[in-house]
């Protein structure tokens, strides 16, 4: 039976990787797969976004299904489905295989995950949604998007570049076809680059490194999704039960990756057990069953009332403190949200910082926020036009957002959605300084009637010469704030034209301002 | 591109003398053209095909100046360089007409080309441009592995000097374009606010690397000077639809005008000078065409150009 569980883990992980790799523009304006399905079936994400957003989010029905199945079958998700769990199990079976763990950890450490869960519940209830810090699916996809995948991509590209530049025919004859195969199927179209890549990646690596202390350290002690599923599945039908043939050898207890088995080897902590079935497989007397007759002996939830109440209180207090941050009063002008983003407050209520939108963004323009949206807006997506612009006809970010923080827009709606407005910096822009013509911004401006228009004006240069120059102006009715002007501005350093969130459509309750025609 | 070597001269001279002995019909006189080109002083020739399907236009224009066989020899590698600059669909006339590109590629294959490669360095996301322009689908629909459409490979740029340049002493160029035996330019005729119009001469921009924005300060001079480095063997100007305003990217169908024309020739200045007339102006109104003429890149005065209408 354990074979089935391992097979499930491998298969689900392959599906996860497949969907991750396909979270990308591939000659399709509409993505053919529900690439965000792992987030949408995450009850923690669903709960937090629903609580904080005060809305029923239809997109999240798979989470309801997972919660429902958990009621009947326990915390199977962690053992059979969760891709983070699979990675940790794989790490144990490979990097940490020979490791003898000698560190003794406090017995109450597993309580932490409940504290985190109740903190998140209380803060979400008061509309501060911080689930992104601890949700494993969110952490995993964000880390892959922002740091792991770009890192792998860069390594492989560098390797094949090095081979290519050897200019040895015998080498390139082999390496180039391999490289082009990898490019077509695995690598990014262009090297993705994200701010904070190293920081976000280190958190993921820390989670893996914690396996040094315990198997499934993260799942046992920290994961609030595991805590939630454990509480939900506590009274499920498939709980561990031990028959009379048990000889109390203790093998199962020593081997349990979750520390879910009691000192008598018969009792089980059902909120910890992930039904990996190892104990069933290794039992020399075949005394362990998960289905069939026999009453399971249950250990109580290791949470601690005092701690639970404290964490609820901390969540309730944290909410007003975070929500009164100055950033929420005066928004940073560089806080340019993806097209279709809800109004700022509603956006942050729902956004789980999973990074799906950043992953799919064709021009690599969506980047994790630093402090533009305050501490509670950390890593939420903002458009950084100098890094990449918003492609005029692209609607992918709204298609992958699991919680509807970014609305799904039709191409027509998208082209009319203002992310903000562009403004010239006349002290830097080349024609405005009176140096020469330029018009790169005008050329790239994507609106059907150009939002950047030129007017020929007579200019006296510094040396006293009178010349005629085409000077650019922004028509604010037409500009959609896509940022391509800022992105393509040939000036190094600060650009001559800059986009800000001023005039964004969502500011007026997310209704759409219209441009000339679509 | 290959340099014009001694062998080519002998071959050319041979065909000249062969032409002298033949009495070919005016208008479809390929060998006569060869002799004109060798004389150096004789009028350049362009063909203008009108009012047919895009495929028929392309074939008619190229056949009128001698057929593809005159430019592409058996076993050669050909690069076809359309304009695939923008994330726009064919009806918006921002990229070269996909049927024109497809026909050019097919004609190269028919002439015996060993390999035909199609590429451009777009301004928008390359995948979106290739796909939505219809050009990727058009080339793939030929179904011949010898015809490939490919994305530009960042590793294959090379910095080349631009001799006698007044503004940019050197720039990075895409090597595969130079390594091919023949290079065919297949742009679309469009409005362009900085350059006024963009046709064959400006299409050279797609073979450049680096931050092309830096070329835009003295755009007109730069376009002309870049054309002294990149030499196309044949120019085929798509004017099936032209973009008359809000170029070079367009987007509004009202700015698109159906002209149902395709032009072909070996003199880019002459082709562009004729192309300008489709917009109701002349080559003299387009500064980079004037500069290119001054640099000796071709004939701007249409009175000195033989125009074959088909």
């Amino acid at each position: 039976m354990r074979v089935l569980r391992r097979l499930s883990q491998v298969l689900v992980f392959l599906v996860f990787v497949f969907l991750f790799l396909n979270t990308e523009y591939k000659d399709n304006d509409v993505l053919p797969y529900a690439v965000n399905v792992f987030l949408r079936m995450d009850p923690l994400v669903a709960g937090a976004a629903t609580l904080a957003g005060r809305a029923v989010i239809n997109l999240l029905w798979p989470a309801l299904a997972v919660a429902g199945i958990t009621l009947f079958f326990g915390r199977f998700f962690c053992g059979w489905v969760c891709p983070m769990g699979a990675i940790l199990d794989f790490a144990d079976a490979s990097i940490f295989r020979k490791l003898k763990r000698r560190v003794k950890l406090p017995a109450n450490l597993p309580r932490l995950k409940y504290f985190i869960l109740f903190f998140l519940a209380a803060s979400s209830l008061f509309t501060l949604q911080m689930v992104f810090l601890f949700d494993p699916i969110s952490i995993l996809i964000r880390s892959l998007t922002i740091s792991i995948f770009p890192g792998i991509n860069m390594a492989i590209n560098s390797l094949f570049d090095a081979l290519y530049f050897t200019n040895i025919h015998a080498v390139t004859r082999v390496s180039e076809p391999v490289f082009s195969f990898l490019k077509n199927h695995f690598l990014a179209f262009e090297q993705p680059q994200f701010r904070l890549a190293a920081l976000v990646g280190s958190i993921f690596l820390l989670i893996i490194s914690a396996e040094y202390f315990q198997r499934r350290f993260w799942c046992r002690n920290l994961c609030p999704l595991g805590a939630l599923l454990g509480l939900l599945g506590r009274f499920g039908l498939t709980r561990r039960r031990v028959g009379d043939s048990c000889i109390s050898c203790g093998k199962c207890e020593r081997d349990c990756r979750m520390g879910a088995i009691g000192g008598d080897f018969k009792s089980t902590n059902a909120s910890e057990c992930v039904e990996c079935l190892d104990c069933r497989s290794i039992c020399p007397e075949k005394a362990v069953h998960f289905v069939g007759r026999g009453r399971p002996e249950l250990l109580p939830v290791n949470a601690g009332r005092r701690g639970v109440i404290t964490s609820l209180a901390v969540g309730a207090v944290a909410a007003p403190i975070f929500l009164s941050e100055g950033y929420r009063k005066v928004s940073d002008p560089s806080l340019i949200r993806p097209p279709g983003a809800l109004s700022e407050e509603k956006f942050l209520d729902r956004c789980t910082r999973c990074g799906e939108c950043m992953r799919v963004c064709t021009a690599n323009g969506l980047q994790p926020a630093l402090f533009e949206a305050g501490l509670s807006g950390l890593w939420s997506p903002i458009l950084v036009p100098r890094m990449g612009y918003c492609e005029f006809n692209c609607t992918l970010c709204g298609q992958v957002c699991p919680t509807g923080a970014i609305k799904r827009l039709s191409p027509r709606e998208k082209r009319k959605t203002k992310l903000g407005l562009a403004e010239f910096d006349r002290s830097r822009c080349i024609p405005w300084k009176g140096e020469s013509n330029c018009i790169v911004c005008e050329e790239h401006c994507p609106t059907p009637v150009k939002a950047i228009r030129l007017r020929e004006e007579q200019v006296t240069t510094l040396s006293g010469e009178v010349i005629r120059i085409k000077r650019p102006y922004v028509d604010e009715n037409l500009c959609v704030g896509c940022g391509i002007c800022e992105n393509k501005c040939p000036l190094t350093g600060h650009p001559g034209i800059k986009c800000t969130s001023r005039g964004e459509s969502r500011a007026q309750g997310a209704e759409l301002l219209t441009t000339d025609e679509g | 591109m290959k340099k014009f070597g001694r062998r080519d001269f002998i071959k050319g001279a041979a065909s000249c003398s062969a032409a002298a002995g033949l009495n070919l019909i005016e208008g479809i006189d390929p060998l006569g053209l060869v002799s004109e080109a060798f004389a150096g002083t004789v009028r350049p020739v362009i063909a203008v095909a009108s009012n047919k399907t895009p495929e028929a236009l392309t074939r008619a224009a190229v056949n009128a100046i001698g057929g593809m066989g005159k430019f592409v020899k058996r076993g050669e590698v050909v690069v076809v360089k359309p304009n695939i600059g923008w994330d726009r669909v064919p009806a918006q006339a921002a990229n070269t007409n996909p049927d024109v590109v497809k026909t050019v590629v097919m004609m190269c294959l028919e002439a015996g080309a060993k390999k035909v490669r199609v590429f451009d360095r777009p301004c928008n996301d390359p995948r979106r441009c290739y796909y939505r322009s219809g050009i990727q689908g058009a080339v793939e629909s030929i179904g011949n592995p010898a015809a490939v459409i490919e994305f530009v490979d960042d590793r294959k740029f090379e910095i080349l000097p631009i001799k006698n340049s007044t503004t940019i002493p050197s720039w990075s160029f895409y090597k595969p374009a130079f390594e091919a035996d023949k290079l065919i330019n297949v742009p679309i005729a469009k409005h362009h606010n900085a350059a006024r119009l963009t046709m064959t001469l400006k299409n050279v921009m797609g073979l450049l690397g680096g931050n092309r924005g830096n070329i835009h300060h003295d755009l007109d001079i730069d376009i002309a000077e870049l054309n002294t480095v990149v030499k196309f063997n044949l120019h085929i100007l798509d004017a099936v639809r032209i973009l008359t305003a809000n170029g070079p990217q367009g987007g509004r169908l009202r700015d698109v005008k159906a002209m149902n024309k395709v032009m072909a020739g070996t003199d880019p200045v002459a082709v562009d000078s004729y192309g300008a007339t489709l917009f109701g102006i002349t080559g003299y109104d387009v500064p980079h065409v004037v500069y290119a003429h001054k640099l000796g890149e071709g004939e701007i005065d249409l009175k000195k150009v033989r125009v074959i209408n088909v």
Side-chain angles (χ1 to χ4, degrees):
Chain A
M1 284 308 282
R2 172 161 75 156
V3 178
L4 271 186
R5 189 257 307 162
R6 283 183 182 153
L7 194 67
S8 162
Q9 280 184 298
V10 170
L11 286 179
V12 173
F13 189 73
L14 289 178
V15 171
F16 177 81
V17 170
F18 173 83
L19 292 179
F20 179 81
L21 291 175
N22 277 283
T23 310
E24 191 181 23
Y25 175 80
K26 289 196 169 153
D27 296 351
N28 241 328
D29 283 328
V30 180
L31 292 179
Y33 312 104
V35 294
N36 54 10
V37 73
F38 278 88
L39 289 145
R40 289 169 55 202
M41 66 187 195
D42 178 334
L44 184 69
V45 161
T50 307
L51 263 187
R54 308 266 193 272
V56 178
I57 303 164
N58 293 336
L59 274 170
L60 295 172
W61 66 264
L64 208 59
V66 167
I69 300 171
T70 302
L71 282 178
F72 289 97
F73 297 102
R75 199 178 157 182
F76 76 99
F77 182 89
C78 310
W80 291 61
V81 181
C82 180
M84 181 74 101
I87 290 175
L88 296 180
D89 284 347
F90 180 73
D92 276 321
S94 52
I95 326 170
F96 299 106
R97 204 157 74 102
K98 297 272 167 77
L99 181 72
K100 296 262 185 295
R101 294 181 176 89
R102 292 201 183 85
V103 190
K104 188 95 179 101
L105 294 170
N108 280 340
L109 208 56
R111 287 182 174 189
L112 264 180
K113 64 175 175 294
Y114 295 108
F115 300 161
I116 293 171
L117 174 68
F118 285 107
F119 165 81
L120 292 175
S123 61
S124 293
L125 187 65
F126 294 103
T127 74
L128 172 71
Q129 196 264 96
M130 303 277 272
V131 75
F132 67 94
L133 277 176
F134 301 102
D135 179 74
I137 311 290
S138 181
I139 291 173
L140 181 56
I141 297 181
R142 179 172 66 234
S143 306
L144 288 178
T145 295
I146 291 177
S147 88
I148 309 295
F149 181 70
I152 293 173
N153 198 70
M154 182 160 278
I156 295 180
N157 271 294
S158 309
L159 171 66
F160 283 96
D161 281 5
L163 293 174
Y164 173 78
F165 286 114
T166 58
N167 276 325
I168 303 167
H169 182 67
V171 174
T172 52
R173 209 182 59 184
V174 180
S175 70
E176 283 302 288
V178 175
F179 187 41
S180 106
F181 175 82
L182 289 174
K183 259 183 161 171
N184 288 336
H185 295 94
F186 300 103
L187 300 181
F189 183 71
E190 261 164 40
Q191 174 64 42
Q193 294 192 286
F194 291 96
R195 318 195 294 185
L196 296 174
L199 178 71
V200 169
S202 343
I203 294 172
F204 177 63
L205 294 181
L206 274 180
I207 290 177
I208 295 182
S209 312
E211 292 295 289
Y212 175 80
F213 300 107
Q214 247 175 2
R215 290 178 77 189
R216 292 262 195 158
F217 179 93
W218 162 262
C219 316
R220 279 198 207 190
N221 305 314
L222 296 173
C223 181
L225 174 60
L228 176 64
L229 293 172
L231 292 180
L232 284 175
R234 193 169 163 69
F235 302 105
L237 305 170
T238 53
R239 281 172 295 176
R240 177 174 176 272
R241 50 209 92 187
V242 182
D244 296 337
S245 54
C246 171
I247 52 166
S248 299
C249 66
K251 205 166 168 9
C252 54
E253 195 263 352
R254 284 193 303 278
D255 237 44
C256 180
R257 69 189 65 209
M258 296 302 293
I261 298 172
D264 60 351
F265 315 132
K266 296 208 163 102
S267 57
T268 317
N269 193 329
S271 359
E272 303 294 330
C273 172
V274 297
E275 301 173 359
C276 71
L277 309 185
D278 271 2
C279 50
R280 183 180 176 280
S281 295
I282 59 174
C283 178
E285 298 300 317
K286 300 274 171 258
V288 179
H289 300 281
F290 279 80
V291 285
R293 276 178 299 167
R295 271 178 67 85
E297 282 179 45
L298 283 191
L299 289 170
V301 180
N302 183 7
R305 194 187 314 162
R306 198 179 287 270
V308 167
I309 291 171
T310 309
S311 46
L312 280 171
V314 170
V317 171
I321 292 175
F322 274 98
L323 297 177
S324 62
E325 271 189 315
Y327 302 96
R328 299 239 181 183
K329 183 178 183 186
V330 182
S331 123
D332 189 319
S334 61
L335 186 66
I336 305 173
R337 290 297 189 194
L342 303 180
S343 61
E344 185 60 16
E345 220 168 281
K346 288 185 184 152
F347 179 78
L348 286 181
D349 289 343
R350 291 201 191 184
C351 174
T352 57
R353 327 291 149 86
C354 60
E356 287 271 328
C357 54
M358 303 177 208
R359 163 90 183 111
V360 85
C361 181
T362 45
N364 197 197
L366 289 180
Q367 296 280 331
L370 312 173
F371 297 106
E372 289 88 346
L375 199 56
S376 55
L378 186 70
W379 301 337
S380 58
I382 65 171
L383 185 77
V384 181
R386 270 315 230 188
M387 307 233 5
Y389 62 94
C390 178
E391 192 71 76
F392 190 56
N393 292 303
C394 174
T395 58
L396 295 179
C397 53
Q399 293 175 35
V400 300
C401 181
T403 57
I406 309 172
K407 281 191 297 184
R408 204 185 168 105
L409 300 177
S410 71
R412 203 186 160 76
E413 286 172 315
K414 158 68 204 301
R415 289 191 286 259
K416 292 175 179 176
T417 302
K418 281 175 182 287
L419 309 187
L421 290 171
E423 295 164 353
F424 280 100
D425 182 342
R426 295 185 177 185
S427 65
R428 289 194 53 76
C429 171
I430 295 161
W432 275 107
K433 277 168 80 180
E435 283 174 359
S436 70
N437 283 315
C438 177
I439 72 94
V440 176
C441 52
E442 189 263 2
E443 180 178 11
H444 286 88
C445 179
T447 55
V449 174
K450 289 196 179 292
I452 297 179
R453 290 206 291 277
L454 307 172
R455 210 155 73 186
E456 195 165 277
E457 291 173 10
Q458 194 164 303
V459 180
T460 310
T461 62
L462 266 182
S463 53
E465 197 188 342
V466 178
I467 54 169
R468 294 190 72 78
I469 276 186
K470 287 175 180 167
R471 279 180 160 167
Y473 290 83
V474 175
D475 183 333
E476 296 193 344
N477 289 316
L478 299 179
C479 177
V480 292
C482 70
I484 195 170
C485 48
E486 183 180 338
N487 182 261
K488 305 278 182 180
C489 176
L491 289 180
T492 46
H494 290 296
I497 184 165
K498 188 150 183 47
C499 284
T500 71
S501 56
R502 183 171 69 90
E504 57 181 350
S505 305
R506 67 192 189 120
Q508 288 83 35
E511 83 266 24
L512 303 171
L513 295 178
T514 52
T515 58
D516 183 35
E517 47 186 89
Chain B
M1 280 179 309
K2 275 185 180 162
K3 290 217 177 79
F4 186 77
R6 180 171 44 88
R7 279 163 187 278
D8 304 79
F9 180 76
I10 295 167
K11 268 191 255 169
S15 34
C16 288
S17 36
L22 293 167
N23 190 9
L24 293 169
I25 307 154
E26 173 77 16
I28 43 165
D29 177 13
L31 298 174
L33 297 176
V34 175
S35 63
E36 283 184 353
F38 279 100
T41 51
V42 192
R43 293 152 73 197
V45 181
I46 62 169
V48 181
S50 311
N51 300 323
K52 303 177 189 16
T53 64
E55 181 183 353
L57 286 171
T58 312
R59 287 189 180 275
V62 175
N63 288 338
I65 55 166
M68 194 58 88
K70 193 180 139 195
F71 304 98
V72 175
K73 301 290 176 239
R74 193 156 291 283
E76 286 187 328
V77 175
V78 184
V79 162
V80 171
K81 160 61 176 86
N83 184 331
I84 328 178
W86 306 99
D87 178 13
R88 293 289 195 234
V89 295
Q92 291 168 316
N95 304 306
T96 308
N97 185 297
D99 292 334
V100 171
V101 178
K102 178 178 175 178
T103 310
V104 172
V105 173
M106 283 169 63
M107 290 176 84
C108 293
L109 293 172
E110 290 157 15
K114 182 171 69 183
K115 184 111 189 166
V116 184
R117 309 171 69 183
V118 182
F119 52 73
D120 190 16
R121 183 169 172 232
C123 296
N124 290 131
D125 182 88
R127 294 165 294 183
R128 294 190 64 89
C129 297
Y130 274 43
Y131 180 73
R132 297 227 312 152
S133 67
I135 293 174
Q136 181 177 315
V139 174
E140 284 169 355
S141 74
I142 296 171
N144 186 335
V148 292
I149 178 158
E150 56 197 13
F151 293 114
V152 161
D153 184 337
D154 290 339
R155 304 171 302 182
K156 296 180 179 169
F157 284 92
E158 187 175 35
I159 298 197
L160 294 177
I162 304 168
K163 278 176 209 143
N164 306 321
S165 165
T166 48
T167 58
I168 36 172
S170 65
W171 200 266
S172 93
F173 290 86
Y174 195 50
K175 263 192 294 183
F178 297 87
E179 288 163 359
D181 297 308
K182 294 291 155 58
L183 183 55
I184 300 178
N185 192 13
V186 195
I188 176 172
K190 290 186 291 181
H191 164 259
H192 190 286
N193 232 326
R196 186 128 198 213
L197 293 178
T198 159
M199 295 173 291
T200 60
L201 289 164
K202 190 173 176 301
N203 203 36
V204 66
M205 298 287 278
L207 298 176
L208 305 187
N211 184 349
R212 294 178 290 195
N214 289 326
I215 294 180
H216 283 65
H217 313 320
D218 301 295
L219 183 64
D220 299 316
I221 300 171
D222 294 341
I223 293 171
E225 291 181 347
L226 289 165
N227 272 275
T228 65
V229 179
V230 182
K231 298 287 186 193
F232 292 94
N233 300 78
L234 173 63
H235 302 271
I236 299 166
L237 178 60
D238 160 32
V240 175
R241 302 181 185 93
I242 61 171
L243 182 63
T244 60
N246 287 303
Q249 191 175 176
R252 187 165 73 157
L253 296 181
R254 198 191 300 166
D255 299 331
V256 177
K257 196 168 158 192
M259 296 301 292
N260 295 314
K261 283 185 195 298
V262 168
M263 283 136 277
T266 52
D267 177 337
V269 180
V271 173
D272 279 7
S273 193
Y274 188 92
T277 64
L278 304 180
F279 295 84
I281 57 176
T282 71
Y284 292 102
D285 299 317
V286 187
H288 71 259
V289 178
V290 177
Y291 281 120
H293 170 62
K294 283 182 184 158
L295 290 178
E297 292 304 305
E299 184 51 63
I300 190 168
D301 186 353
L302 288 177
K303 288 194 213 87
K304 296 181 185 163
V305 176
R306 190 153 68 95
V307 179
I308 306 167
N309 284 296
V310 283

